[in-house]
Amino acid sequence: MRQSMLIKRGRLGPALVAVAVVIATAACGGDDSGGEQIVGLITKTDTNPFFVKMKEGAQQAADDAGLSLQTFAGKQDGDNEAQVQAIESLISAGARGFLITPSDSKAIVPAIDKAKQQGMLVIALDTPTDPADAADATFATDNYQAGKLIGQWAKAKFEADGKQAKIAMLDLNANQVSVDVKRDQGFLDGFGIPVGDPNKIGDESDPRISGHDVTDGAEDGGRTAMENLLQKDPSINLVYTINEPAAAGAYQAIKAAGKDKAVTIVSIDGGCPGVDNVKAGVIGATSMQFPLKMASLGIEALDKFIDNGTKPQATAGKDFVDTGVTLITDQPQTGLDSEDSAWGKQNCWG
Amino acid sequence: MTTVTKEPPPPQDFEVRHNDSLGLRLQHLLHGNPTLGPLAVLIVAIIAFSIANQRFFSAPNLSLVLAQVTVIAVLALGQTLIILTAGIDLSVGAIAVFSSILMANFATKLGMPGVLALLLGLACGTAMGALNGFLVTKIKLPPFIVTLGTLSIFFSLNSVVSKSETVRGSDMPDILTWTGTTIPIGGFRLTYGSIIMLLLFAVFFYALGSTAWGKHVYATGDDLEAARLAGIRTNRVLFSVYTVAGLLYAVGAWILIGRLASASPNVGIDYNLDSITAVVLGGTSLFGGRGGVLGTLIGALIVGVFRNGLQLAGVEVVWQGFAIGLLVLVAVSLDQWIRKVKA
């Protein structure tokens, strides 16, 4: 699950767009595609830049492979029903398989089972299903690794500067969502802080952690959370943020407190506004994920399956296909691979 | 309940003197002074949090709490007007966020001068409020339904216009982010946004308490039919209330841009409920006709003080929501109890 989309609510537009897309694909695809095999892409919403990029990648790959792509999206994040309907439509259209970013990892499973009974290949994109093996494969960012990279970067930077870290942890919400937990724990692990229960946020007792707060992955939440944590401990000099909008909000709080020179912010996402903030020195380092690659690799896997029935294999040592994560920073640290913000700008999404 | 309560009404404790019951005495006192209860809660909370953490009661922290509640207080001010007329507005957050996106895009995408972008943004917010008012008064739909519908519409347009992209403050004219500028007064850091907020509360405190319009708002909310028979043009009052609320939300949007130094389509998911929470905690009755804006300011501050105070006291985030929810239930129970007073 991704936070930048967790914050979408109450949108009608995507539904209308989805309907239009369905009609358009039905109209075009139906007439002239003839022997073209149908595959699907089902995202959480139609408006988040992350999913827009995903759709772009899927469309490109489908065109290259000569597949007919039908795309669907929920009205808002958490809209399971729209995704179930999308799967039903794909079944009745005779699709050979689809990529899905589940809005509700558990609730979507029965619908996926039905599709698999029809002999379809189901690939989870970005967000695993629960249980993960309900889908034939998962193509995703390793969120733990994404957190670990910025943790390692921060550790190296603080060691180089000879500073003792006082850390603020700006998480997503109180629900201990898996992406939130993995990023948070990955960061702590990378920084060299014992994480306690790796499935739980906030159970560490390390004195370097000044406090945790939640942001809903948005600017306003990031600002308020950072303000309160700075009150609690004015000596905070390192801020972990769940995503780049939260980081942008946190920076406003830090600037207002006159500490923008003294505090380092690290984040995760690789969105273009986030990369701009790396360039501007607002964010010290961020971990970039690749929605376009996720989707194009997913479509290629579907194509291979249609050709000869082979199913994608998980990356060695992981239970999913790792689509990679890259550290973006303009202050590279020795012993850590990274790219600068100029590279980031060329590869960012949104 | 046909009495029109204006704010702040004089204590009406003549009858109480004949009664020895402390509970009844309190009931009457609170009935006459709806802001007394919330004020007591606020003061007790401030004292408690000051004891729990010395950092709490300091000028920098208190100014922080004020800055944190500024946006929600302005939105809750509009919400108060609507709730006073026995309505409810579910489109607050949508109007505010959409207005902020419009202002930012007018300036950056269309290249308008800052002042024009701001004024046009304010006009758009006002128009959105007026649309709510039109649907409530002319089409005669219940406010809940109207604002449920416009909530979806405005959020949707917000996505369309913004393309889910955040506009950065550094790309905007200064006037749009001006509300975030702080003036240090001793250790206190007051933002222009907070000053605008306090001025607006003063204006509406006066307007509701001392003008014919204010009395009509209370009368309409207390008993629409009675007010109409008394010669009040209730439709006109209702329309004005929704329209003014729209303007207030747009001002809230301007303050929001200053606070975040950006205009993001993704903020504000909690604004609807937060604004209603502030109004309810402030002692304004959800059944209309009773309460006022001073209470709402106190209500917003209660939420701000609790969130900040609980964080400083090291209380886990999950329990902060629990505490606020409990407060709301107590506040509404209290309102019900007060309403039973034999006037």
Side-chain angles (χ1 to χ4, degrees), chain A residues 47 223 227-228 231 256, chain B residues 55 68 159 164 189 259 308:
Chain A
T47 49
R223 171 146 196 185
E227 284 172 341
N228 289 343
Q231 282 300 313
Chain B
R55 286 190 190 282
Q68 288 177 348
S159 293
S164 293
R189 293 165 58 86
R259 178 160 165 77
N308 174 281

Side-chain angles (χ1 to χ4, degrees), chain A residues 117-190:
Chain A
Q117 280 160 22
Q118 305 292 319
M120 290 162 78
L121 183 77
V122 180
I123 296 175
L125 277 196
D126 182 55
T127 308
T129 52
D130 183 8
D133 60 6
D136 291 298
T138 304
F139 285 51
T141 305
D142 186 338
N143 279 303
Y144 196 88
Q145 178 64 16
K148 197 169 171 179
L149 284 176
I150 53 174
Q152 288 172 328
W153 178 86
K155 183 173 189 239
K157 182 175 161 57
F158 273 67
E159 273 171 7
D161 296 352
K163 277 201 293 188
Q164 179 69 33
K166 291 293 280 178
I167 307 169
M169 303 289 295
L170 298 191
D171 299 309
L172 180 61
N173 58 28
N175 297 338
Q176 306 260 349
V177 186
S178 82
V179 60
D180 193 15
V181 175
K182 287 191 175 134
R183 289 179 178 188
D184 175 298
Q185 303 283 291
F187 167 80
L188 292 174
D189 184 17

Side-chain angles (χ1 to χ4, degrees), chain B residues 297-313:
Chain B
L297 181 56
I298 296 170
L301 285 170
I302 290 175
V303 176
V305 162
F306 263 78
R307 293 225 167 114
N308 174 281
L310 290 172
Q311 175 62 252
L312 288 192

Side-chain angles (χ1 to χ4, degrees), chain A residues 7-11 13 47 49 212-214 216 219-220 223-224 227-229 231-232 234 252 256 277, chain B residues 55 61 64 68 155-156 159 164 166 168 189 259-261 264-271 308 311-312 317:
Chain A
I7 47 188
K8 307 268 165 185
R9 302 281 155 93
R11 312 241 161 136
T47 49
H212 288 260
D213 204 351
V214 296
D216 283 327
E219 286 89 344
D220 50 351
R223 171 146 196 185
T224 306
E227 284 172 341
N228 289 343
L229 286 174
Q231 282 300 313
K232 202 170 163 188
Q252 290 309 316
N277 277 340
Chain B
R55 286 190 190 282
N61 192 54
L64 200 56
Q68 288 177 348
F155 258 134
S156 172
S159 293
S164 293
T166 299
R168 301 198 308 161
R189 293 165 58 86
R259 178 160 165 77
L260 299 178
S264 166
N266 298 327
V267 302
I269 46 162
D270 293 329
Y271 288 170
N308 174 281
Q311 175 62 252
L312 288 192
V317 177

Side-chain angles (χ1 to χ4, degrees), chain B residues 327-338:
Chain B
L327 273 178
V328 168
L329 292 181
V330 171
V332 178
S333 310
L334 196 67
D335 178 50
Q336 283 290 12
W337 179 64
I338 295 166

Side-chain angles (χ1 to χ4, degrees), chain B residues 221-243:
Chain B
D222 201 28
D223 191 331
L224 185 76
E225 197 51 27
R228 201 181 58 79
L229 291 174
I232 296 173
R233 299 163 95 166
T234 50
N235 267 356
R236 191 174 283 196
V237 172
L238 284 176
F239 183 77
S240 71
V241 161
Y242 282 88
T243 309

Side-chain angles (χ1 to χ4, degrees), chain B residues 30-308:
Chain B
L30 291 172
H31 188 256
N33 303 276
T35 50
L36 221 56
L39 189 62
V41 172
L42 181 62
I43 291 170
V44 169
I46 289 176
I47 293 171
F49 288 127
S50 303
I51 295 168
N53 190 312
Q54 311 116 303
R55 286 190 190 282
F56 180 82
F57 200 79
S58 63
N61 192 54
L62 293 179
S63 53
L64 200 56
V65 173
L66 188 66
Q68 288 177 348
V69 305
T70 293
V71 172
I72 207 66
V74 172
L75 303 187
L77 179 56
Q79 182 77 265
T80 309
L81 298 178
I82 289 171
I83 289 180
L84 279 177
T85 66
I88 189 123
D89 192 345
L90 303 180
S91 65
V92 183
I95 294 181
V97 175
F98 187 33
S99 299
S100 76
I101 288 296
L102 284 173
M103 285 175 196
N105 281 307
F106 284 150
T108 54
K109 298 258 164 67
L110 303 182
M112 285 182 195
V115 179
L116 187 63
L118 171 63
L119 291 177
L120 212 54
L122 293 176
C124 287
T126 312
M128 289 181 241
L131 175 66
N132 281 339
F134 172 79
L135 293 170
V136 167
T137 55
K138 286 288 177 327
I139 317 288
K140 302 279 180 210
L141 299 176
F144 187 94
I145 309 290
V146 166
T147 56
L148 188 65
T150 52
L151 158 75
S152 254
I153 291 172
F154 298 144
F155 258 134
S156 172
L157 291 175
N158 172 40
S159 293
V160 173
V161 170
S162 69
K163 301 192 184 75
S164 293
E165 284 168 12
T166 299
V167 181
R168 301 198 308 161
S170 50
D171 300 332
M172 290 182 217
D174 290 343
I175 181 80
L176 290 183
T177 51
W178 173 81
T179 49
T181 319
T182 50
I183 325 164
I185 304 172
F188 209 83
R189 293 165 58 86
L190 200 60
T191 64
Y192 284 115
S194 296
I195 294 173
I196 294 173
M197 183 268 278
L198 293 171
L199 285 175
L200 285 172
F201 271 89
V203 166
F204 281 91
F205 180 77
Y206 171 80
L208 282 174
S210 312
T211 68
W213 177 77
K215 292 187 170 78
H216 291 172
V217 169
Y218 278 101
T220 304
D222 201 28
D223 191 331
L224 185 76
E225 197 51 27
R228 201 181 58 79
L229 291 174
I232 296 173
R233 299 163 95 166
T234 50
N235 267 356
R236 191 174 283 196
V237 172
L238 284 176
F239 183 77
S240 71
V241 161
Y242 282 88
T243 309
V244 167
L247 174 60
L248 287 168
Y249 303 155
V251 175
W254 182 29
I255 298 172
L256 180 66
I257 294 177
R259 178 160 165 77
L260 299 178
S262 66
S264 166
N266 298 327
V267 302
I269 46 162
D270 293 329
Y271 288 170
N272 287 338
L273 291 178
D274 283 354
S275 69
I276 295 170
T277 302
V279 175
V280 170
L281 286 180
T284 292
S285 169
L286 280 174
F287 310 103
R290 207 182 146 275
V293 296
L294 202 58
T296 298
L297 181 56
I298 296 170
L301 285 170
I302 290 175
V303 176
V305 162
F306 263 78
R307 293 225 167 114
N308 174 281

